[in-house]
């Protein structure tokens, strides 16, 4: 095994070090580097094909991140117990790496290039994404693949004290108000050019702001970009040192020989300019996207037909002419912007397209909805609220294991007027959805203040630029319509940039074509007072700080304009969630009370859910329990909460008081009856059956049966002894237990509250909580007498229970005759006899 070549350097302002190692692992790859911060380490390899991809009109770069669960000492939780498709975290890291790498390759390079990062260790302290990004640059720099120069990235977190913390840990990021990932490269003058920015607020941003932490404004962002240059420069120098050590040990790194691929020759491009220049200028001045694209397609076909004959001897002449037409279109758009200050649709460089906002577009069918349109970009967002049990379980290498706030973004083909197929979200959709989620998340209330799981879905209905920022605006409208108490509206806008003839021109609210033909895609979202998310990508070497500062100011003006339109649609969250949304309340209970609330095998909690119709969830964090109760009816929620609070703080039953209880357990020696929430008493078998001796309690009682009992005694240990308040209810009628019907069914059948029993019980619900007076007293009378309440000692609330004899025999016999016709001699029997015969047939 070869010896390792290692470079280690300190990270300024911290006690951490970063390490690059090569020479041991993956020796057959063009380049392989293991990068490490703390105990987080990533093996990154870079390989390239020996031939260019045929007919490729783009650079075929692929970045993959392989999360290995052994990196955190876990076996995957899937059925197959092995890693499956890439997680969202892995996909977002792939995009994070791809974006700054791509502009660093020659424009004529078309060989398939593959960068793979395998996570070997994740210490749950240092995130692996920046470790992988810096490792990818180092691997490419050592590979000989035509990678123009090394680059580096750094994560900086803005603390509540107003300082930028480099390579922030998970814990430091959570305690910060904002975090930003910046990637850049060195320029010939020694300055650092920014290549990529990914930034966003944290979950507690606005809580920290309320406590006095400095807000993240455009000026703060500019200072962060400037501060990041120090660490980027240090890491680039380390990569250069690593390459020097490799060349000292093994000789110079041989550059890869690659075949230059141009979309079209200079001769073809000049001829297309001559033939189609004037016509394409007219086409690219059409404001409507569909009309412009149709005219562009017709013009392209006409030019190809005209010019193809002149280049008949040229391989792939039509493809080259088509590429030349696209290049000409790009030139015309950029020339018009820089020279004339006008854009494709005739707007000024700082002008926003027409705006419209609608809150509650879907009415009551959805918990919340918002429709946002800017020009031809239209996004519908729908909010769904649910119990905390609907949180997403996350099985990745990151410490976060649950998500209560989710934003999903869909981009169907019809949104661009195209036919296609839909096979689940692609990397682009996951990335756009994550950007919008990051922009909205800081204003979402905490779980303590709003105990809901929240899912947002943004469906792009029409697309012509900046659908991710349209999703931010639609999400804000939808959340307010759903009654989610977000702190403020959040709006987003996409900025563009054209650099030509030494001039930088910043564009507000870019179109799709301006995104494709421009040099920068700069998306920024925020509230009236603070920025919540930022994303920047460039296609050129980098962007000067003063240009970015100007773009930030221009974006703020546009953002405030969009916010005004959104506030006109809905200015504040609705005072309550909608009628179809669950009404959820959440409260804490002592952790030692959780078992009592749930009950053995969930009997108690299931009983409350069945009785009230509420959805109840009990959770704990190891120190305290949390109960969440949800239902579409607030009265149902209140009743379930009342019952649970009585279990947690049960009232004390009074000796001599009568209670209406439910049989919750039956043993050989008696039945346990629940007389108050969380309080059971024993009704001994000796007190049942009256004049006859029972062989089992089941002869007169069954689980779930409601019985009236009297509290006879409470011993010093709190054990409660009960006796039946109504002897006839438990078989003491002086008959010795004989069934007058002649049936061999036990007497308890006559006391069941069901359609085929001989008795029915109606119980009035207490008007106030039993906890106020220590119990509920009940008076029982025959159906022919008036119900008289009996006061319970201690001032408890009394209820009256009325019972009446009901016979269903004639009804069953008639139903059986209607279904089966003549029933024969046995039809003379009534009640259970008819039922048994019908069952045999």
């Amino acid at each position: 095994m070869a010896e390792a070549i290692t470079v280690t350097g300190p990270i300024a302002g911290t006690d951490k070090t970063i390490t690059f190692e090569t020479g041991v692992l993956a020796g057959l790859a063009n380049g392989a580097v293991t990068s490490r911060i703390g105990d987080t380490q990533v093996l990154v390899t870079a390989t390239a094909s020996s031939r260019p991809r045929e007919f490729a009109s783009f650079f075929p770069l692929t970045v993959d991140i392989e999360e290995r669960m052994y990196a955190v000492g876990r076996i995957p939780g899937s059925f197959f117990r092995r890693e499956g498709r890439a997680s969202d975290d892995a996909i977002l890291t792939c995009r994070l790496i791809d974006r700054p790498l791509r502009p660093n390759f020659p424009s004529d390079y078309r060989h398939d290039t593959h960068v793979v990062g395998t996570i070997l260790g994740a210490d749950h302290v240092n995130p692996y994404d920046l470790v992988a990004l810096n490792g990818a640059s180092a691997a490419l720099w050592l590979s000989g693949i035509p990678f123009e120069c090394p680059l580096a990235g750094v994560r900086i977190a803005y603390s509540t004290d107003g300082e930028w913390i480099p390579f922030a840990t998970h814990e430091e990021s959570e305690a910060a108000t904002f975090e930003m990932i910046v990637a850049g490269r060195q320029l010939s003058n020694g300055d650092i050019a920014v290549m990529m920015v990914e930034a966003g607020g944290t979950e507690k941003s606005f809580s920290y702001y309320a406590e006095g932490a400095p807000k993240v404004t455009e000026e703060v962002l500019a200072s962060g970009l400037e501060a990041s240059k120090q660490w980027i420069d240090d890491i680039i120098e380390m990569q250069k040192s690593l390459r020097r050590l490799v060349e000292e040990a093994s000789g110079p790194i041989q550059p890869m020989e690659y075949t230059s691929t141009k979309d079209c020759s200079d001769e073809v491009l000049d001829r297309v300019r001559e033939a189609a220049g004037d016509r394409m200028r007219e086409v690219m001045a059409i404001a409507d996207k569909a009309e412009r694209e149709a005219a562009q397609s017709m013009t392209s076909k006409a030019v190809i037909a005209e010019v193809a004959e002149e280049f008949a001897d040229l391989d792939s002449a039509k493809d080259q002419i088509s590429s030349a037409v696209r290049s000409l279109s790009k030139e015309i758009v950029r020339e018009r912007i820089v020279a004339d200050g006008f854009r494709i649709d005739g707007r000024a460089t700082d002008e926003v397209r027409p705006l419209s906002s609608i809150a509650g577009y879907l009415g009551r069918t959805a918990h919340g909805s918002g429709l946002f349109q800017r020009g031809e970009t239209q996004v519908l967002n729908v909010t769904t609220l649910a119990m905390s049990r609907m949180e997403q379980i996350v099985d990745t290498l990151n410490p976060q294991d649950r998500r209560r706030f989710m934003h999903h973004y869909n981009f169907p083909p019809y949104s661009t007027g195209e036919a296609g197929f839909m096979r689940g979200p692609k990397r682009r959709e996951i990335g756009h959805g994550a950007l919008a989620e990051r922009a909205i998340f800081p204003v979402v209330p905490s779980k303590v203040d709003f105990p809901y799981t929240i899912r947002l879905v943004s469906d792009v209905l029409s697309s012509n630029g900046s659908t991710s920022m349209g999703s931010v605006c639609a999400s804000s409208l939808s959340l307010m319509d759903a009654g989610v108490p977000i702190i403020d509206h959040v709006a987003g806008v996409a900025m563009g940039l054209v650099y030509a003839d030494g001039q930088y021109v910043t564009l507000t609210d870019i179109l799709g074509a301006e995104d494709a033909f421009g040099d920068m895609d700069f998306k920024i979202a925020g509230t009236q007072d603070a920025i919540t998310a930022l994303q920047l990508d460039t296609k050129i070497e980098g962007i000067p700080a003063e240009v970015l500062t100007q773009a930030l100011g221009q974006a703020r003006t546009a953002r405030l304009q969009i916010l005004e339109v959104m506030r006109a649609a809905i200015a504040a969250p609705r005072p309550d969630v909608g009628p179809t949304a669950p009404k959820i309340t959440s409260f804490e209970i002592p952790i030692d009370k959780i078992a009592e609330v749930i009950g053995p095998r969930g009997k108690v909690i299931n009983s409350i859910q069945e009785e009230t119709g509420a959805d109840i969830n009990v959770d704990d964090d190891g120190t305290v329990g949390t109960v969440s109760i949800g239902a579409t009816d607030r009265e149902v929620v209140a009743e379930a909460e009342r019952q649970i609070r009585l279990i947690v703080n049960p009232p004390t039953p009074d000796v001599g008081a009568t209670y209406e209880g439910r049989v919750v357990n039956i043993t050989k020696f008696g039945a346990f009856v629940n007389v108050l929430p969380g309080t059971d008493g024993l009704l001994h078998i000796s007190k049942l059956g009256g004049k006859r001796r029972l062989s089992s309690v089941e002869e007169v009682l069954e689980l779930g049966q409601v019985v009236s009992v009297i509290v006879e005694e409470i011993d010093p240990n709190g054990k409660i002894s009960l006796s039946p308040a109504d002897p006839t209810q438990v078989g003491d009628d002086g008959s010795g237990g004989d069934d007058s019907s002649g049936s061999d069914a036990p007497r308890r059948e006559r006391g069941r509250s069901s359609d085929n029993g001989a008795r029915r019980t109606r119980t009035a619900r207490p008007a106030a909580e039993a906890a106020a007076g220590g119990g509920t007293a009940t008076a029982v009378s025959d159906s022919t007498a008036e119900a008289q309440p009996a006061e319970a000692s201690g001032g408890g609330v009394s209820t009256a229970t009325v019972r009446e004899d009901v016979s269903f025999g004639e009804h069953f016999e008639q139903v059986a005759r209607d279904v089966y016709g003549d029933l024969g001699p046995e039809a003379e029997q009534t009640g259970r006899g008819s039922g048994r015969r019908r069952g045999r047939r």
Side-chain angles (χ1 to χ4, degrees):
M1 186 177 294
E3 293 185 3
I5 299 174
T6 305
V7 171
T8 299
I11 298 174
T14 73
D15 58 356
K16 302 175 186 177
T17 60
I18 183 169
T19 300
F20 296 109
E21 178 185 290
T22 189
V24 176
L25 303 179
L28 294 181
N30 294 87
V33 169
T34 301
S35 57
R36 177 199 294 259
I37 296 179
D39 287 327
T40 295
Q41 56 180 326
V42 183
L43 168 65
V44 187
T45 60
T47 51
S49 62
S50 58
R51 296 184 179 85
R53 182 185 294 189
E54 292 186 17
F55 311 117
S57 59
F58 60 94
F59 171 34
L61 171 66
T62 302
V63 179
D64 284 313
I65 291 293
E66 296 293 304
E67 290 183 318
R68 297 289 185 252
M69 282 300 169
Y70 59 66
V72 289
R74 289 210 312 264
I75 294 174
S78 66
F79 178 82
F80 296 102
R81 291 293 185 265
R82 70 173 298 166
E83 294 83 2
R85 67 178 295 273
S87 68
D88 284 2
D89 286 343
I91 290 172
L92 294 174
T93 303
C94 293
R95 289 172 56 84
L96 188 76
I97 296 171
D98 181 291
R99 285 154 47 199
L101 293 185
R102 191 172 288 274
N104 226 26
F105 290 85
S107 59
D108 60 347
Y109 178 64
R110 295 289 191 275
H111 291 241
D112 281 287
T113 303
H114 194 194
V115 174
V116 180
T118 304
I119 315 302
L120 302 180
D123 59 9
H124 279 180
V125 176
N126 302 285
Y128 68 73
D129 50 2
L130 265 297
V131 180
L133 170 60
N134 290 304
S137 174
L140 285 164
W141 186 233
L142 301 181
S143 67
I145 295 171
F147 188 64
E148 294 178 351
C149 65
L151 54 85
V154 59
R155 169 184 277 103
I156 54 177
Y158 196 59
S159 71
T160 54
D161 297 327
E163 296 180 355
W164 289 105
I165 303 171
F167 285 95
T169 64
H170 290 292
E171 185 176 350
E172 288 170 334
S173 292
E174 289 177 3
T177 59
F178 199 83
E179 69 172 11
M180 180 162 57
I181 297 172
V182 185
R185 59 185 284 182
Q186 289 178 338
L187 298 176
S188 57
N189 61 4
D191 193 14
I192 298 296
V194 174
M195 305 287 294
M196 184 273 297
V197 179
E198 189 84 39
T202 64
E203 181 177 5
K204 298 181 180 178
S205 292
F206 283 84
S207 297
Y208 293 142
Y209 293 156
E211 295 170 1
K215 293 182 178 179
V216 176
T217 61
E218 286 76 9
E219 293 75 19
V220 172
L221 280 181
S223 71
L225 293 173
E226 189 64 31
S228 68
K229 294 180 180 180
Q230 171 190 351
W231 297 290
I232 292 173
D233 189 65
D234 291 345
I235 296 172
I236 289 175
E237 288 299 325
M238 288 184 61
Q239 294 179 51
K240 290 182 176 179
S241 297
L242 181 66
R243 177 161 174 160
R244 282 196 298 270
L245 292 176
V246 170
E247 290 183 330
E248 288 174 6
S250 306
I253 294 174
Q254 297 300 318
M256 169 185 167
E257 294 183 3
Y258 70 93
T259 303
S260 176
T261 303
K262 288 188 175 182
D263 295 333
C264 62
S265 65
D266 294 339
E267 184 180 3
V268 171
L269 180 57
D270 290 339
R271 180 67 185 92
V272 168
R273 284 197 189 104
E274 178 184 350
D278 294 337
R279 281 180 284 178
M280 288 304 297
R281 284 182 176 83
E282 294 178 2
V283 168
M284 300 312 294
I286 299 174
D288 182 78
K289 178 182 178 181
E291 185 180 347
R292 181 178 64 254
E293 289 181 348
Q296 193 173 356
S297 176
M298 292 180 60
T299 304
S300 179
K301 291 178 181 179
V303 172
I304 291 173
E306 292 175 18
V307 179
E309 295 182 1
E310 301 178 26
F311 298 94
D313 57 343
L314 185 67
D315 292 338
S316 63
K318 291 186 177 180
D319 291 335
Q320 289 201 40
I321 296 170
S322 180
S323 297
V325 172
R326 285 197 300 271
S327 297
L328 177 61
S329 301
K330 182 176 180 178
E331 288 179 5
I332 291 171
V333 170
R334 294 166 64 86
E335 176 186 283
R336 189 180 183 204
I337 290 172
V338 174
D340 304 329
F342 287 99
R343 301 156 68 175
I344 294 176
D345 56 0
R347 283 182 295 148
T349 56
D350 61 351
E351 186 177 349
V352 180
R353 288 173 289 176
L355 302 165
S356 64
S357 298
I358 301 175
Y361 182 79
L362 297 183
R364 293 174 177 262
T365 57
H367 296 169
S369 60
L371 182 65
F372 178 80
Q373 184 158 350
R374 183 183 56 246
E376 294 174 307
T377 295
Q378 185 184 66
V379 182
L380 174 67
N381 182 275
V382 180
T383 297
T384 304
L385 306 175
M387 295 283 292
S388 59
R389 72 178 61 186
M390 293 305 294
E391 291 178 353
Q392 181 183 10
I393 298 175
V394 180
D395 189 22
T396 66
L397 301 185
N398 286 329
Q400 182 188 27
D401 59 357
R402 288 180 178 272
R403 295 173 62 210
R404 65 174 286 260
F405 178 72
M406 298 160 279
H407 174 265
H408 296 145
Y409 166 100
N410 300 310
F411 190 86
Y414 65 75
S415 65
T416 56
E418 299 172 350
F421 58 88
M422 301 173 69
R423 298 291 185 271
K426 304 178 183 65
R427 290 188 173 191
R428 176 184 178 278
E429 290 171 288
I430 291 173
H432 280 39
L435 173 59
E437 180 178 311
R438 188 164 55 251
I440 291 289
F441 188 45
V443 303
V444 173
S446 68
K447 187 175 182 178
V448 174
D449 296 329
F450 193 72
Y452 286 81
T453 296
I454 307 169
R455 183 190 183 223
L456 301 177
V457 178
S458 289
D459 284 311
V460 178
L461 307 182
S462 179
S463 171
N464 187 10
S466 189
T467 54
S468 61
M469 294 297 96
S471 298
V472 172
C473 301
S475 296
S476 187
L477 295 167
S478 177
L479 284 167
M480 283 199 175
D481 179 56
V484 180
I486 62 175
I487 295 167
D488 195 3
H489 265 310
V490 179
V493 64
M495 309 296 291
L497 181 77
V498 173
Y499 175 65
D501 300 329
Q503 297 183 61
Y504 292 92
V505 179
T506 305
L507 307 177
T508 296
D509 181 23
I510 56 175
L511 299 171
E514 291 171 337
D515 184 9
F517 296 157
D519 298 318
M520 177 185 76
D521 182 12
F522 185 23
K523 299 170 183 175
I524 186 164
T527 64
Q528 179 87 16
D529 303 320
I531 292 172
T532 58
L534 174 77
Q535 186 180 88
L536 182 147
D537 298 302
T538 66
K539 302 174 187 176
I540 53 179
E541 286 187 350
I543 301 172
E546 60 271 17
V547 175
L548 285 178
T549 302
Q550 177 190 346
L552 285 168
Q554 198 167 313
R556 174 176 170 77
T557 301
R559 187 171 84 249
L560 296 180
Q561 180 181 344
I562 297 169
L563 284 170
E564 286 183 9
V565 176
M566 294 170 62
R567 290 195 185 98
I570 182 169
R574 303 201 189 280
D576 195 5
V577 297
T580 60
K583 286 34 173 212
I584 299 177
T585 187
S586 179
F587 55 92
E588 294 182 349
I589 62 173
I591 196 167
D592 59 349
K593 292 288 185 178
I594 292 178
E596 295 182 35
V597 172
I598 295 175
R601 294 186 295 276
K603 285 185 178 179
V604 175
I605 195 170
N606 290 336
S607 175
I608 297 174
Q609 290 185 121
E610 290 174 5
E611 181 179 340
T612 63
D615 186 7
I616 305 173
N617 184 59
V618 181
D619 201 358
D620 74 274
D621 60 4
T623 59
V624 68
T626 302
V627 177
S628 297
I629 307 172
T632 55
D633 187 345
R634 287 204 180 277
E635 292 185 1
V636 169
V637 175
E639 172 60 19
E641 181 180 359
R642 183 189 73 84
Q643 294 191 26
I644 291 174
R645 288 192 182 276
L646 287 175
I647 295 173
V648 176
N649 299 296
T652 304
D654 297 319
V655 175
T658 302
Y659 296 91
E660 191 84 358
R662 186 181 298 275
V663 178
V664 294
N665 192 18
I666 293 178
T667 66
K668 292 181 179 180
F669 52 82
F672 287 93
V673 180
N674 178 244
V675 293
L676 290 172
T679 303
D680 298 340
L682 175 62
L683 185 58
H684 198 273
I685 191 171
S686 62
K687 299 174 184 177
L688 302 173
K691 298 179 180 180
R692 65 189 180 96
R693 182 174 180 177
L694 301 179
S695 59
S696 67
V697 176
E698 285 88 345
E699 292 185 43
V700 293
L701 292 177
E702 65 177 9
L703 282 175
Q705 184 174 341
V706 176
V707 294
S708 295
V709 293
I710 298 173
V711 177
E712 286 190 335
E713 181 185 3
I714 302 177
D715 71 9
N717 295 322
K719 295 181 179 179
I720 303 171
S721 296
L722 306 174
S723 63
D726 181 7
T728 62
Q729 198 176 27
V730 291
D732 188 10
D733 58 358
S735 65
D738 294 334
D739 192 334
S740 59
S741 68
S743 169
D744 58 358
R747 290 185 53 79
R748 60 188 172 89
E749 293 291 342
R750 299 179 59 191
R752 295 181 62 181
S753 176
S754 58
D755 287 347
N756 61 351
R759 293 185 181 272
R760 171 177 292 175
T761 300
R762 297 189 180 95
T763 304
R765 181 179 295 277
E769 293 186 1
T776 301
T778 307
V780 182
S781 69
D782 294 333
S783 60
T784 57
E786 183 177 354
Q788 299 291 336
E791 292 295 335
S793 60
V797 179
S798 64
T799 62
T801 302
V802 180
R803 291 180 175 82
E804 58 185 6
D805 290 335
V806 181
S807 174
F808 297 95
E810 295 179 2
H811 170 71
F812 288 152
E813 181 179 341
Q814 184 59 48
V815 171
R817 292 183 185 278
D818 293 341
V819 174
Y820 299 104
D822 186 9
L823 300 178
E826 290 187 0
E828 297 299 323
Q829 299 182 18
T830 61
R832 287 182 295 275
S834 299
R836 287 198 301 271
R837 177 175 178 83
R838 182 176 57 177
R840 288 195 298 271
R841 291 181 68 92

